[in-house]
Amino acid sequence: MTQNLPGLDPALAERFAAIVGERYAVRAEADIEPYVHEPRGLFTGATTLVLRPGSVEEVSAIMKLASETRTPIVPQGGNTGLVGGQVPDRSGGQVVLSLSRLNRIREIDPVSNTVIAEAGVVLDTLHKAADEVGRLYPLSLASQGSCQIGGNLSSNAGGTGVVAYGNARELCLGVEVVLPTGEVLDDLRKLKKDNTGYDLKNLFVGAEGTLGIITAAVLKLFPKPKGREVAWVGLPSAEAALALFNIAQDLGGGALTAFELIGRTPMSFAMRHIPDARPPLMDDWPWEVLMEISSGRSAEDARTLIEDILSAGFEADQVDDAVIAASVGQANEFWRLREMLPESQKPEGASIKHDISVPIASIPAFIEQAAVAVAGVCAEARVVCFGHMGDGNLHYNISQPVGTEAAAFLALYRDMNKAVHDVVRSMNGSISAEHGIGQLKRDELIATAPPHAIELMRRVKSAFDPAGIMNPGKTI
């Protein structure tokens, strides 16, 4: 059954469908349903047409027709975004363009340490392809089994490996982009040094599909580590965690590939709700850390490094307890526990989430001040704090009080956001560290960012997309 929505003219829908063929023009309401919702259920849109092109040429033809007819286009990857950037509005007049069929790995070059991947390549698929040639693509996300490279780049995804390798922007050397006019920018260069004019690729990385559609990218690869050790550490305070991080940096340098901070509340949720979860440590600690060391030299070197770091932490009275994974299986189990933390929050009821970053040195102060701010809005709310301490990014989530109605708690959404984000801004932090702006944070960005910065962003948007057809209503 097709949807009876206003907006997209049926004759125009036929012209779009002819570009990809009827098989790849999704029009039945039941088939469209997965494309108009996002994982948290915060945004639900509507459309009468989802296009699934299979080539750059088809994407170009779609955009030429969209430009000619001023039809809004919403690019979508694996639909794992958390700020509504991939969801159409409710009018029914926007066309969703899914990149999932552009899923070829065009080239892997282990000598240059690069891979050319199309936008629809699933992140886990890219991991496996790199592994087969003895290389590592280090972007690591909880959604890596379904998120896609185009979405990773469009949102400038972060994840657990940023401390050593950088975020998606830093892992990208070049892009292929279809512009709103249908023109194709081929900037798929594998060069680490290139000072020939403006760095155009970085206008599209992190732009959330508002300037053009990334259809392929050149990404950096790295030699696979020869040794990897994972430890779980119990600490008395966030200050102690910061001290341990400094020790790990000093002794490990670039071998420190993850440093994840986890509070007591998310750990308690994990033990209650993650199947077969077992606490890594005998006792509960106010703060715990998942730390990973990767050595390019040997397994013995990785083991020595992590032991030296932990020994120094104990000697400095910063570490209370620690265990090093005894096997690959146990290391993977530690990581499973960390990656399931967001899921373990869901059974605890409604939550108000924040994806923030502050200077690493400010993390303990942020945690202290934000707790006071949260209590000022809702005294019984439960702070669920965990994240990537090694790059300053915390997921500072607030769960509803026990015994409270979800609707009553969610009515505090704006007040809670303001309270937490005011603390972030006081420390020159960011209200969106790795999830993007999308719809969720658009109005707050516009209201709080420097006016000149917003004006410059709007000029860039107007220069690339004067008709305003690229993912309208997102970012700015």
Side-chain angles (χ1 to χ4, degrees):
M1 183 177 68
T2 57
Q3 299 184 87
N4 184 21
L5 288 171
L8 194 63
D9 178 73
L12 179 57
E14 291 297 333
R15 293 176 66 189
F16 276 116
I19 295 171
V20 298
E22 193 59 38
R23 179 181 178 185
Y24 298 111
V26 182
R27 298 196 242 199
E29 185 173 357
D31 295 334
I32 284 175
E33 190 71 10
Y35 296 92
V36 295
H37 300 278
E38 49 82 45
R40 290 183 182 170
L42 296 177
F43 299 98
T44 299
T47 185
T48 55
L49 183 63
V50 176
L51 298 174
R52 301 183 62 231
S55 68
V56 177
E57 292 74 21
E58 289 182 356
V59 176
S60 174
I62 290 167
M63 292 314 306
K64 285 178 182 176
L65 179 57
S67 180
E68 172 193 328
T69 58
R70 303 180 81 86
T71 303
I73 300 294
V74 179
Q76 188 177 109
N79 195 13
T80 59
L82 299 175
V83 292
Q86 74 278 28
V87 179
D89 67 12
R90 295 175 179 270
S91 70
Q94 298 183 346
V95 174
V96 174
L97 193 156
S98 168
L99 281 302
S100 60
R101 290 183 61 225
L102 272 70
N103 58 8
R104 291 188 305 123
I105 295 176
R106 297 183 187 174
E107 175 193 278
I108 296 185
D109 182 350
V111 176
S112 300
N113 279 320
T114 59
V115 57
I116 301 177
E118 292 184 340
V121 172
V122 172
L123 178 55
D124 192 51
T125 301
L126 183 54
H127 286 163
K128 292 173 181 175
D131 185 70
E132 288 175 0
V133 296
R135 293 294 181 264
L136 170 74
Y137 180 64
L139 185 66
S140 180
L141 306 170
S143 60
Q144 60 196 35
S146 53
C147 68
Q148 298 172 10
I149 294 303
N152 297 161
L153 292 171
S154 293
S155 61
N156 189 25
T160 58
V162 173
V163 63
Y165 300 105
N167 54 22
R169 185 188 304 280
E170 293 169 280
L171 295 172
C172 180
L173 292 172
V175 292
E176 175 186 82
V177 179
V178 177
L179 301 175
T181 57
E183 298 167 285
V184 178
L185 170 66
D186 184 349
D187 190 27
L188 291 174
R189 288 180 284 186
K190 302 190 291 185
L191 305 177
K192 292 185 178 180
K193 289 186 174 181
D194 180 9
N195 283 336
T196 53
Y198 298 128
D199 188 355
L200 295 175
K201 71 175 183 296
N202 277 325
L203 287 172
F204 300 100
V205 176
E208 301 184 61
T210 60
L211 302 180
I213 299 174
I214 297 174
T215 50
V218 182
L219 305 171
K220 296 178 186 177
L221 299 178
F222 296 82
K224 280 175 59 178
K226 293 181 173 63
R228 172 176 171 263
E229 294 287 347
V230 179
W232 200 282
V233 188
L235 304 120
S237 65
E239 288 82 2
L242 180 61
L244 178 63
F245 174 69
N246 288 330
I247 291 169
Q249 278 194 310
D250 287 344
L251 297 181
L256 178 64
T257 48
F259 197 94
E260 298 290 298
L261 181 68
I262 305 166
R264 177 174 284 168
T265 299
M267 275 300 294
S268 68
F269 289 178
M271 292 303 106
R272 281 203 289 271
H273 302 300
I274 296 177
D276 303 318
R278 300 174 64 181
L281 303 174
M282 292 290 293
D283 297 315
D284 295 334
W285 299 99
W287 293 94
E288 299 183 17
V289 159
L290 171 62
M291 179 171 59
E292 181 182 87
I293 292 291
S294 301
S295 171
R297 290 191 287 267
S298 67
E300 292 78 11
D301 182 59
R303 183 74 179 195
T304 298
L305 272 175
I306 205 163
E307 288 176 348
D308 287 349
I309 291 166
L310 293 174
S311 294
F314 278 114
E315 289 172 8
D317 292 325
Q318 305 296 348
V319 173
D320 286 330
D321 195 8
V323 60
I324 301 173
S327 65
V328 173
Q330 188 176 29
N332 291 341
E333 185 59 25
F334 286 178
W335 273 112
R336 183 180 80 96
L337 190 59
R338 163 61 185 90
E339 289 166 355
M340 289 293 289
L341 291 178
E343 289 297 314
S344 70
Q345 191 179 358
K346 289 181 180 178
E348 295 290 332
S351 63
I352 299 173
K353 300 193 174 186
H354 307 90
D355 164 44
I356 66 92
S357 63
V358 295
I360 296 171
S362 301
I363 284 178
F366 167 79
I367 289 171
E368 181 180 356
Q369 293 177 32
V372 174
V374 167
V377 177
C378 181
E380 302 302 318
R382 296 171 290 169
V383 174
V384 184
C385 179
F386 60 93
H388 321 300
M389 188 174 196
D391 59 40
N393 174 202
L394 295 178
H395 301 297
Y396 196 81
N397 304 334
I398 316 299
S399 280
Q400 70 179 68
V402 175
T404 302
E405 291 293 326
F409 177 68
L410 291 175
L412 301 173
Y413 210 109
R414 289 186 180 277
D415 291 340
M416 191 69 78
N417 274 177
K418 183 179 186 305
V420 173
H421 289 165
D422 281 351
V423 178
V424 172
R425 279 188 285 267
S426 75
M427 297 180 177
N428 292 317
S430 170
I431 64 170
S432 181
E434 63 179 0
H435 293 163
I437 297 297
Q439 301 177 61
L440 183 65
K441 300 179 182 180
R442 177 196 61 207
D443 293 343
E444 185 172 2
L445 172 69
I446 293 170
T448 60
H452 289 308
I454 295 296
E455 177 58 26
L456 284 172
M457 288 187 225
R458 285 177 168 154
R459 290 184 198 175
V460 172
K461 169 71 171 172
S462 295
F464 280 90
D465 182 26
I469 62 172
M470 288 304 313
N471 213 10
K474 317 295 171 51
T475 308
I476 57 168

